[in-house]
Amino acid sequence: MRVAIAGAGKVGRSIALELLENGHEVLLIDKDPAAIKVESVPKAEWLLADACEISSLEEAGLHRCNVVIAASGDDKVNLVVSLLAKTEYGVPRVVARVNHPKNEWLFNEAWGVDVAVSTPRLLSALVEEAVTVGDLVRLLRFSHGDANLVELTLPADAELVGSRVGDVPWPPDTALVTIIREGRVVVPTKDDPLEAGDELLFVTSPDRERELENLLSPYHSAG
C-alpha cells in the first residue's frame, strides 16, 4: 500500500516509521526544509514541497496513493490537503489530524476526510480510560456513516458479565469489533463470553452511545 503523509514533523515521522515496519510504501511531504530529516526515516521517500498546491501533489503522484494522511500541526493545511486528495485525485482513504478540538466539526466528508483523529481527544480518552470503568470513551469519529469508535471497560458487577456475545441485544447500528482481554486482542464470535474487565471496542452511531453505555452498566437488567 502506498501512503502519502503531509507533514513531516514528529507525528508524521512516527506514523511513517510504523507504516514502513508494516511493509508499506511511504512518502513524506513538507514545505519546511528543517523538517526534511531523511536520516530519521531513511526508508521513506521525501519531498520538499507545499502539500496545499496542486503542482506539489502532482509531483508526489497522489493519484497512485491508497491513503493520504494530513498530519501537519495546522488544521487549515490538513483540511486543504484532505479536500484536494479526495476531490482532485480520488484517494480512497483520507485520514486527517485535528490539532484543535474546536475545529473538529469541520473534519468531515464535505472536506474529503474519511477519518478524523483528534490528538487532544485521544490523549484525554487515554487518561479517562485509565481511571474509569463502565464509562463510554469516544476514541475516533468516522465521517462516513456518521459513526464513532468507542471503548467501554466492562465492570465486574455488570449484569452482562458471563453472557455470550451473540445473546446480547446490542443496540441497532452498533458492532462489537474487538475485545481486549489481559493484553490480548480477541476478535469476538457469537459464542465468546463477556468477562469482567474486558475492554470492548464498538463502532456505533452517536445517537446509540447512551443506549450502549446503559446496556453495559452495572444497573442494567439482562432479564
Side-chain angles (χ1 to χ4, degrees), residues 67-78:
V67 179
V68 165
I69 302 173
S72 82
D74 187 326
D75 285 343
K76 296 187 294 296
V77 169
N78 292 342

Side-chain angles (χ1 to χ4, degrees), residues 51-54 57 79-90:
C52 292
E53 296 183 357
I54 289 287
L57 300 181
L79 285 171
V80 171
V81 170
S82 298
L83 184 63
L84 291 175
K86 184 65 70 174
T87 59
E88 296 295 325
Y89 299 95

Side-chain angles (χ1 to χ4, degrees), residues 108-167:
N108 55 36
E109 185 177 2
W111 279 93
V113 178
D114 295 306
V115 181
V117 181
S118 172
T119 305
R121 183 182 293 280
L122 282 174
L123 290 173
S124 63
L126 288 171
V127 172
E128 291 177 28
E129 191 272 332
V131 298
T132 60
V133 173
D135 293 333
L136 182 145
V137 178
R138 189 178 299 111
L139 299 177
L140 290 176
R141 176 178 57 81
F142 300 95
S143 61
H144 285 302
D146 194 22
N148 293 329
L149 175 67
V150 302
E151 183 270 352
L152 191 144
T153 300
L154 192 63
D157 53 353
E159 294 279 356
L160 293 181
V161 171
S163 299
R164 295 192 320 152
V165 169
D167 294 336

Side-chain angles (χ1 to χ4, degrees), residues 5 7 9 15 17 29 39 68 76 94 110 120 124 130 140 152 160 164 174 177-178 186 189-190 201 210 219:
I5 301 174
I15 296 169
L17 286 169
I29 309 169
E39 70 284 355
V68 165
K76 296 187 294 296
V94 176
S124 63
L140 290 176
L152 191 144
L160 293 181
R164 295 192 320 152
T174 298
V177 293
T178 303
V186 178
T189 70
K190 65 179 182 180
L201 273 69
R210 180 60 60 86
Y219 312 107

